[in-house]
Amino acid sequence: MTNRSSLRFMLLILSATFAFLYIPISVLFALSFNASGLPTAWTGFSTHWYGELIANSDIIGAALNTLIVAIVSTLAATLLGTLLAIGVEIRRRKGRVLETVIFAPMIIPDIVLAIALLSFFSMLDFRMGLHTIIISHTVFNLAFVCAVVRARLKSFDWSIVEASTDLGATPPITLRRVILPVLTPAVVAGALLAFTLSIDEFIIAYFTAGSGRDSITLPMQIFSMIRFGVTPEINALAVLVMTLSVVALAISQRLNRGRLPGQ
């Protein structure tokens, strides 16, 4: 096979892969503006279903719960994940066991982590609710924030920390004035990634939520609605969630590509 034929074959495979991934999303996007109540028959362009979303109190309540969970768990995971990444990177030469334990939530299936968290809360006789979802999402997002910040630390010049210490700065001052300013793009990128994962996450929230409507998140609301069939209203809701996730991930990737000062 010639180089030109190989290139054409690779382009064909790549095109087929992108088509498989993005054609369904494109159809979903188009049907969210379908004037008809039928999920597959196009009858004209309309933003009616987005208006229906705003008027749906159940969806608005679930969206607010999702934002609360995402914001609080992101703040907690970002703070703990950043400090954890710095600590692990400093002690990286003392073994890999700690890294394996830290990144376990990224590797094990969501269903296993969800069952483990549910068992943990049940053992402690916790009353399930929005607070248990927040704790669970913090545990889940912690490893992702730590991984993003550690990727930045791989090219961090630790000599500036030594210089700061030699000049009389205490460890908290060194952390605040030397380390964190350099890590800020990675910290923000990790926070945006955690926020996106928290908005989209369903399994862990489903297992650790309470029984009332005050602990229902948006993915759980979508699941309860879709059991009766796919409607344009669900399509519109899916487009909004997807758009928010894509924007957050794009900003995260853009920030994480930043270079360290002096490089």
Side-chain angles (χ1 to χ4, degrees):
M1 184 179 291
T2 64
N3 290 336
R4 181 172 295 180
S5 299
S6 299
L7 180 59
R8 289 178 178 175
F9 179 74
M10 292 176 63
L11 289 175
L12 178 62
I13 296 298
L14 182 62
S15 300
T17 302
F18 277 111
F20 178 77
L21 290 174
Y22 293 110
I23 287 179
I25 296 177
S26 301
V27 172
L28 171 69
F29 183 85
L31 290 178
S32 69
F33 295 98
N34 187 10
S36 171
L38 300 176
T40 56
W42 179 265
T43 59
F45 181 88
S46 175
T47 58
H48 168 73
W49 301 108
Y50 288 90
E52 289 291 323
L53 289 180
I54 298 176
N56 192 318
S57 59
D58 290 339
I59 291 178
I60 296 300
L64 290 176
N65 288 340
T66 298
L67 285 177
I68 293 172
V69 170
I71 292 173
V72 177
S73 64
T74 295
L75 292 175
T78 301
L79 175 62
L80 297 175
T82 301
L83 295 177
L84 184 60
I86 295 172
V88 171
E89 189 63 23
I90 292 175
R91 298 175 59 88
R92 67 186 184 280
R93 296 181 180 179
K94 296 188 178 182
R96 300 287 182 178
V97 177
L98 182 59
E99 294 187 32
T100 303
V101 174
I102 291 172
F103 297 126
M106 298 175 59
I107 301 171
I108 62 176
D110 287 358
I111 185 69
V112 176
L113 181 60
I115 294 174
L117 289 167
L118 175 61
S119 301
F120 176 74
F121 292 137
S122 299
M123 181 181 65
L124 297 180
D125 199 22
F126 261 41
R127 180 178 178 273
M128 297 294 185
L130 212 60
H131 59 286
T132 52
I133 301 178
I134 291 173
I135 295 172
S136 302
H137 280 201
T138 300
V139 173
F140 176 68
N141 290 328
L142 185 62
F144 291 93
V145 175
C146 182
V148 173
V149 176
R150 282 203 67 197
R152 187 77 168 184
L153 285 170
K154 293 296 183 182
S155 54
F156 182 77
D157 184 6
W158 290 98
S159 63
I160 62 176
V161 177
E162 298 175 1
S164 175
T165 303
D166 292 340
L167 292 173
T170 61
I173 293 178
T174 300
L175 176 64
R176 180 167 56 89
R177 296 188 176 182
V178 178
I179 298 178
L180 288 182
V182 178
L183 295 181
T184 296
V187 172
V188 176
L192 289 171
L193 177 60
F195 182 80
T196 302
L197 292 172
S198 183
I199 287 179
D200 294 340
E201 208 288 318
F202 166 73
I203 296 177
I204 295 176
Y206 186 80
F207 272 73
T208 58
S211 57
R213 288 209 56 87
D214 57 343
S215 60
I216 292 180
T217 62
L218 198 55
M220 295 167 61
Q221 179 66 29
I222 294 175
F223 176 74
S224 65
M225 293 170 62
I226 206 170
R227 287 184 299 176
F228 302 101
V230 179
T231 65
E233 189 177 15
I234 295 177
N235 292 337
L237 181 57
V239 168
L240 292 177
V241 173
M242 179 182 63
T243 302
L244 180 61
S245 301
V246 170
V247 170
L249 280 175
I251 297 174
S252 173
Q253 292 296 318
R254 181 67 182 87
L255 290 172
N256 208 32
R257 282 204 302 266
R259 299 175 63 88
L260 292 174
Q263 290 188 319

mmCIF file of all heavy atoms in Angstrom, residues 137-170:
data_model
loop_
_atom_site.group_PDB
_atom_site.id
_atom_site.type_symbol
_atom_site.label_atom_id
_atom_site.label_comp_id
_atom_site.label_asym_id
_atom_site.label_seq_id
_atom_site.Cartn_x
_atom_site.Cartn_y
_atom_site.Cartn_z
ATOM 1 N N HIS A 137 -19.152 14.089 45.253
ATOM 2 C CA HIS A 137 -18.554 14.725 44.079
ATOM 3 C C HIS A 137 -17.179 15.312 44.397
ATOM 4 O O HIS A 137 -16.300 15.332 43.533
ATOM 5 C CB HIS A 137 -19.486 15.815 43.552
ATOM 6 C CG HIS A 137 -20.597 15.282 42.720
ATOM 7 N ND1 HIS A 137 -21.295 16.054 41.813
ATOM 8 C CD2 HIS A 137 -21.147 14.049 42.644
ATOM 9 C CE1 HIS A 137 -22.210 15.322 41.215
ATOM 10 N NE2 HIS A 137 -22.149 14.099 41.719
ATOM 11 N N THR A 138 -16.997 15.771 45.616
ATOM 12 C CA THR A 138 -15.678 16.264 46.020
ATOM 13 C C THR A 138 -14.655 15.140 45.986
ATOM 14 O O THR A 138 -13.531 15.310 45.477
ATOM 15 C CB THR A 138 -15.739 16.877 47.429
ATOM 16 O OG1 THR A 138 -16.671 17.963 47.441
ATOM 17 C CG2 THR A 138 -14.377 17.383 47.854
ATOM 18 N N VAL A 139 -15.029 13.990 46.518
ATOM 19 C CA VAL A 139 -14.137 12.819 46.481
ATOM 20 C C VAL A 139 -13.835 12.415 45.041
ATOM 21 O O VAL A 139 -12.685 12.119 44.683
ATOM 22 C CB VAL A 139 -14.774 11.643 47.253
ATOM 23 C CG1 VAL A 139 -13.950 10.373 47.075
ATOM 24 C CG2 VAL A 139 -14.914 11.984 48.727
ATOM 25 N N PHE A 140 -14.857 12.426 44.211
ATOM 26 C CA PHE A 140 -14.695 12.020 42.808
ATOM 27 C C PHE A 140 -13.806 13.003 42.039
ATOM 28 O O PHE A 140 -12.939 12.603 41.254
ATOM 29 C CB PHE A 140 -16.074 11.919 42.157
ATOM 30 C CG PHE A 140 -16.049 11.596 40.697
ATOM 31 C CD1 PHE A 140 -15.633 10.354 40.251
ATOM 32 C CD2 PHE A 140 -16.450 12.535 39.757
ATOM 33 C CE1 PHE A 140 -15.611 10.046 38.902
ATOM 34 C CE2 PHE A 140 -16.428 12.241 38.408
ATOM 35 C CZ PHE A 140 -16.008 10.987 37.979
ATOM 36 N N ASN A 141 -13.997 14.312 42.260
ATOM 37 C CA ASN A 141 -13.276 15.328 41.500
ATOM 38 C C ASN A 141 -11.863 15.581 42.011
ATOM 39 O O ASN A 141 -11.036 16.155 41.292
ATOM 40 C CB ASN A 141 -14.049 16.650 41.524
ATOM 41 C CG ASN A 141 -15.325 16.589 40.722
ATOM 42 O OD1 ASN A 141 -15.406 15.878 39.724
ATOM 43 N ND2 ASN A 141 -16.331 17.332 41.147
ATOM 44 N N LEU A 142 -11.602 15.181 43.230
ATOM 45 C CA LEU A 142 -10.312 15.460 43.855
ATOM 46 C C LEU A 142 -9.150 14.935 43.025
ATOM 47 O O LEU A 142 -8.147 15.632 42.802
ATOM 48 C CB LEU A 142 -10.294 14.839 45.256
ATOM 49 C CG LEU A 142 -9.081 15.119 46.141
ATOM 50 C CD1 LEU A 142 -8.964 16.604 46.431
ATOM 51 C CD2 LEU A 142 -9.208 14.348 47.454
ATOM 52 N N ALA A 143 -9.275 13.706 42.543
ATOM 53 C CA ALA A 143 -8.187 13.093 41.773
ATOM 54 C C ALA A 143 -7.957 13.815 40.450
ATOM 55 O O ALA A 143 -6.812 13.959 40.007
ATOM 56 C CB ALA A 143 -8.503 11.618 41.520
ATOM 57 N N PHE A 144 -9.017 14.294 39.827
ATOM 58 C CA PHE A 144 -8.872 14.978 38.540
ATOM 59 C C PHE A 144 -8.162 16.322 38.712
ATOM 60 O O PHE A 144 -7.288 16.676 37.910
ATOM 61 C CB PHE A 144 -10.246 15.186 37.898
ATOM 62 C CG PHE A 144 -10.891 13.922 37.430
ATOM 63 C CD1 PHE A 144 -11.768 13.219 38.251
ATOM 64 C CD2 PHE A 144 -10.621 13.416 36.171
ATOM 65 C CE1 PHE A 144 -12.362 12.048 37.821
ATOM 66 C CE2 PHE A 144 -11.216 12.244 35.725
ATOM 67 C CZ PHE A 144 -12.084 11.555 36.560
ATOM 68 N N VAL A 145 -8.514 17.065 39.746
ATOM 69 C CA VAL A 145 -7.833 18.332 40.010
ATOM 70 C C VAL A 145 -6.365 18.078 40.326
ATOM 71 O O VAL A 145 -5.473 18.778 39.820
ATOM 72 C CB VAL A 145 -8.510 19.086 41.175
ATOM 73 C CG1 VAL A 145 -7.722 20.340 41.527
ATOM 74 C CG2 VAL A 145 -9.942 19.445 40.818
ATOM 75 N N CYS A 146 -6.106 17.078 41.141
ATOM 76 C CA CYS A 146 -4.735 16.736 41.500
ATOM 77 C C CYS A 146 -3.916 16.370 40.260
ATOM 78 O O CYS A 146 -2.764 16.794 40.120
ATOM 79 C CB CYS A 146 -4.734 15.578 42.491
ATOM 80 S SG CYS A 146 -3.092 15.087 43.076
ATOM 81 N N ALA A 147 -4.505 15.626 39.337
ATOM 82 C CA ALA A 147 -3.794 15.225 38.122
ATOM 83 C C ALA A 147 -3.451 16.421 37.238
ATOM 84 O O ALA A 147 -2.347 16.523 36.692
ATOM 85 C CB ALA A 147 -4.632 14.219 37.345
ATOM 86 N N VAL A 148 -4.393 17.357 37.104
ATOM 87 C CA VAL A 148 -4.154 18.536 36.265
ATOM 88 C C VAL A 148 -3.064 19.418 36.867
ATOM 89 O O VAL A 148 -2.156 19.883 36.168
ATOM 90 C CB VAL A 148 -5.460 19.345 36.091
ATOM 91 C CG1 VAL A 148 -5.181 20.659 35.374
ATOM 92 C CG2 VAL A 148 -6.481 18.534 35.307
ATOM 93 N N VAL A 149 -3.121 19.640 38.176
ATOM 94 C CA VAL A 149 -2.122 20.485 38.823
ATOM 95 C C VAL A 149 -0.750 19.810 38.809
ATOM 96 O O VAL A 149 0.275 20.467 38.605
ATOM 97 C CB VAL A 149 -2.555 20.815 40.270
ATOM 98 C CG1 VAL A 149 -1.478 21.614 40.995
ATOM 99 C CG2 VAL A 149 -3.866 21.592 40.254
ATOM 100 N N ARG A 150 -0.718 18.515 38.980
ATOM 101 C CA ARG A 150 0.566 17.803 38.954
ATOM 102 C C ARG A 150 1.208 17.863 37.580
ATOM 103 O O ARG A 150 2.433 17.898 37.463
ATOM 104 C CB ARG A 150 0.373 16.349 39.364
ATOM 105 C CG ARG A 150 0.232 16.136 40.859
ATOM 106 C CD ARG A 150 0.599 14.723 41.234
ATOM 107 N NE ARG A 150 2.006 14.474 41.013
ATOM 108 C CZ ARG A 150 2.532 13.255 40.944
ATOM 109 N NH1 ARG A 150 1.749 12.192 41.036
ATOM 110 N NH2 ARG A 150 3.817 13.096 40.762
ATOM 111 N N ALA A 151 0.402 17.867 36.533
ATOM 112 C CA ALA A 151 0.956 17.995 35.188
ATOM 113 C C ALA A 151 1.698 19.324 35.039
ATOM 114 O O ALA A 151 2.725 19.412 34.353
ATOM 115 C CB ALA A 151 -0.163 17.893 34.154
ATOM 116 N N ARG A 152 1.170 20.360 35.687
ATOM 117 C CA ARG A 152 1.846 21.667 35.682
ATOM 118 C C ARG A 152 3.111 21.625 36.522
ATOM 119 O O ARG A 152 4.128 22.235 36.183
ATOM 120 C CB ARG A 152 0.885 22.716 36.212
ATOM 121 C CG ARG A 152 1.375 24.152 36.123
ATOM 122 C CD ARG A 152 1.252 24.668 34.712
ATOM 123 N NE ARG A 152 1.448 26.112 34.656
ATOM 124 C CZ ARG A 152 1.318 26.833 33.550
ATOM 125 N NH1 ARG A 152 0.981 26.243 32.427
ATOM 126 N NH2 ARG A 152 1.518 28.130 33.579
ATOM 127 N N LEU A 153 3.062 20.902 37.629
ATOM 128 C CA LEU A 153 4.208 20.830 38.527
ATOM 129 C C LEU A 153 5.384 20.065 37.929
ATOM 130 O O LEU A 153 6.517 20.211 38.402
ATOM 131 C CB LEU A 153 3.785 20.171 39.846
ATOM 132 C CG LEU A 153 2.953 21.037 40.802
ATOM 133 C CD1 LEU A 153 2.410 20.192 41.944
ATOM 134 C CD2 LEU A 153 3.793 22.182 41.347
ATOM 135 N N LYS A 154 5.133 19.232 36.905
ATOM 136 C CA LYS A 154 6.219 18.474 36.289
ATOM 137 C C LYS A 154 7.284 19.389 35.707
ATOM 138 O O LYS A 154 8.466 19.022 35.646
ATOM 139 C CB LYS A 154 5.657 17.558 35.191
ATOM 140 C CG LYS A 154 4.771 16.435 35.691
ATOM 141 C CD LYS A 154 5.533 15.457 36.570
ATOM 142 C CE LYS A 154 4.643 14.309 37.003
ATOM 143 N NZ LYS A 154 5.354 13.368 37.910
ATOM 144 N N SER A 155 6.899 20.576 35.256
ATOM 145 C CA SER A 155 7.856 21.526 34.691
ATOM 146 C C SER A 155 8.088 22.720 35.614
ATOM 147 O O SER A 155 8.573 23.761 35.176
ATOM 148 C CB SER A 155 7.359 22.004 33.321
ATOM 149 O OG SER A 155 6.042 22.517 33.411
ATOM 150 N N PHE A 156 7.719 22.557 36.871
ATOM 151 C CA PHE A 156 7.898 23.646 37.835
ATOM 152 C C PHE A 156 9.357 23.718 38.286
ATOM 153 O O PHE A 156 9.999 22.694 38.554
ATOM 154 C CB PHE A 156 6.986 23.409 39.042
ATOM 155 C CG PHE A 156 7.043 24.488 40.083
ATOM 156 C CD1 PHE A 156 6.395 25.690 39.883
ATOM 157 C CD2 PHE A 156 7.749 24.303 41.266
ATOM 158 C CE1 PHE A 156 6.434 26.696 40.840
ATOM 159 C CE2 PHE A 156 7.789 25.294 42.225
ATOM 160 C CZ PHE A 156 7.136 26.491 42.005
ATOM 161 N N ASP A 157 9.892 24.914 38.365
ATOM 162 C CA ASP A 157 11.275 25.129 38.790
ATOM 163 C C ASP A 157 11.309 25.267 40.316
ATOM 164 O O ASP A 157 10.998 26.322 40.863
ATOM 165 C CB ASP A 157 11.838 26.393 38.120
ATOM 166 C CG ASP A 157 13.310 26.600 38.446
ATOM 167 O OD1 ASP A 157 13.912 25.710 39.082
ATOM 168 O OD2 ASP A 157 13.854 27.653 38.061
ATOM 169 N N TRP A 158 11.673 24.189 40.983
ATOM 170 C CA TRP A 158 11.667 24.186 42.437
ATOM 171 C C TRP A 158 12.777 25.034 43.035
ATOM 172 O O TRP A 158 12.791 25.275 44.241
ATOM 173 C CB TRP A 158 11.763 22.750 42.961
ATOM 174 C CG TRP A 158 10.518 21.972 42.705
ATOM 175 C CD1 TRP A 158 10.284 21.103 41.676
ATOM 176 C CD2 TRP A 158 9.307 22.005 43.464
ATOM 177 N NE1 TRP A 158 9.018 20.590 41.746
ATOM 178 C CE2 TRP A 158 8.394 21.119 42.839
ATOM 179 C CE3 TRP A 158 8.908 22.681 44.617
ATOM 180 C CZ2 TRP A 158 7.117 20.905 43.330
ATOM 181 C CZ3 TRP A 158 7.637 22.471 45.107
ATOM 182 C CH2 TRP A 158 6.744 21.598 44.471
ATOM 183 N N SER A 159 13.723 25.492 42.198
ATOM 184 C CA SER A 159 14.793 26.343 42.724
ATOM 185 C C SER A 159 14.251 27.676 43.239
ATOM 186 O O SER A 159 14.831 28.281 44.150
ATOM 187 C CB SER A 159 15.855 26.590 41.647
ATOM 188 O OG SER A 159 15.297 27.294 40.545
ATOM 189 N N ILE A 160 13.121 28.142 42.685
ATOM 190 C CA ILE A 160 12.556 29.407 43.168
ATOM 191 C C ILE A 160 11.964 29.243 44.562
ATOM 192 O O ILE A 160 11.899 30.196 45.336
ATOM 193 C CB ILE A 160 11.502 29.954 42.187
ATOM 194 C CG1 ILE A 160 10.306 28.989 42.044
ATOM 195 C CG2 ILE A 160 12.115 30.234 40.821
ATOM 196 C CD1 ILE A 160 9.205 29.529 41.158
ATOM 197 N N VAL A 161 11.550 28.033 44.893
ATOM 198 C CA VAL A 161 11.079 27.761 46.252
ATOM 199 C C VAL A 161 12.251 27.803 47.225
ATOM 200 O O VAL A 161 12.159 28.371 48.330
ATOM 201 C CB VAL A 161 10.357 26.400 46.318
ATOM 202 C CG1 VAL A 161 9.938 26.080 47.753
ATOM 203 C CG2 VAL A 161 9.139 26.399 45.404
ATOM 204 N N GLU A 162 13.364 27.188 46.806
ATOM 205 C CA GLU A 162 14.560 27.228 47.645
ATOM 206 C C GLU A 162 15.053 28.660 47.816
ATOM 207 O O GLU A 162 15.480 29.053 48.912
ATOM 208 C CB GLU A 162 15.640 26.354 47.030
ATOM 209 C CG GLU A 162 15.266 24.881 46.932
ATOM 210 C CD GLU A 162 16.325 24.074 46.195
ATOM 211 O OE1 GLU A 162 17.348 24.684 45.790
ATOM 212 O OE2 GLU A 162 16.131 22.858 46.030
ATOM 213 N N ALA A 163 14.980 29.449 46.739
ATOM 214 C CA ALA A 163 15.403 30.846 46.832
ATOM 215 C C ALA A 163 14.503 31.626 47.784
ATOM 216 O O ALA A 163 14.972 32.466 48.561
ATOM 217 C CB ALA A 163 15.391 31.486 45.442
ATOM 218 N N SER A 164 13.221 31.354 47.728
ATOM 219 C CA SER A 164 12.281 32.022 48.624
ATOM 220 C C SER A 164 12.579 31.686 50.079
ATOM 221 O O SER A 164 12.537 32.557 50.956
ATOM 222 C CB SER A 164 10.853 31.621 48.269
ATOM 223 O OG SER A 164 9.931 32.167 49.181
ATOM 224 N N THR A 165 12.900 30.417 50.335
ATOM 225 C CA THR A 165 13.235 29.997 51.697
ATOM 226 C C THR A 165 14.526 30.652 52.169
ATOM 227 O O THR A 165 14.636 31.101 53.316
ATOM 228 C CB THR A 165 13.358 28.467 51.760
ATOM 229 O OG1 THR A 165 12.141 27.877 51.299
ATOM 230 C CG2 THR A 165 13.631 28.001 53.183
ATOM 231 N N ASP A 166 15.515 30.708 51.269
ATOM 232 C CA ASP A 166 16.798 31.324 51.629
ATOM 233 C C ASP A 166 16.639 32.804 51.952
ATOM 234 O O ASP A 166 17.396 33.362 52.755
ATOM 235 C CB ASP A 166 17.804 31.157 50.488
ATOM 236 C CG ASP A 166 18.209 29.701 50.296
ATOM 237 O OD1 ASP A 166 18.029 28.916 51.243
ATOM 238 O OD2 ASP A 166 18.680 29.346 49.196
ATOM 239 N N LEU A 167 15.642 33.443 51.322
ATOM 240 C CA LEU A 167 15.412 34.862 51.562
ATOM 241 C C LEU A 167 14.555 35.117 52.796
ATOM 242 O O LEU A 167 14.205 36.265 53.084
ATOM 243 C CB LEU A 167 14.751 35.499 50.339
ATOM 244 C CG LEU A 167 15.645 35.588 49.089
ATOM 245 C CD1 LEU A 167 14.843 36.071 47.895
ATOM 246 C CD2 LEU A 167 16.834 36.517 49.349
ATOM 247 N N GLY A 168 14.199 34.060 53.512
ATOM 248 C CA GLY A 168 13.506 34.209 54.780
ATOM 249 C C GLY A 168 12.006 34.048 54.734
ATOM 250 O O GLY A 168 11.329 34.276 55.745
ATOM 251 N N ALA A 169 11.438 33.654 53.597
ATOM 252 C CA ALA A 169 9.988 33.483 53.502
ATOM 253 C C ALA A 169 9.557 32.205 54.221
ATOM 254 O O ALA A 169 10.218 31.164 54.111
ATOM 255 C CB ALA A 169 9.561 33.429 52.040
ATOM 256 N N THR A 170 8.466 32.288 54.931
ATOM 257 C CA THR A 170 7.914 31.106 55.598
ATOM 258 C C THR A 170 7.195 30.233 54.573
ATOM 259 O O THR A 170 6.838 30.710 53.494
ATOM 260 C CB THR A 170 6.932 31.522 56.698
ATOM 261 O OG1 THR A 170 5.849 32.259 56.103
ATOM 262 C CG2 THR A 170 7.624 32.389 57.743
#
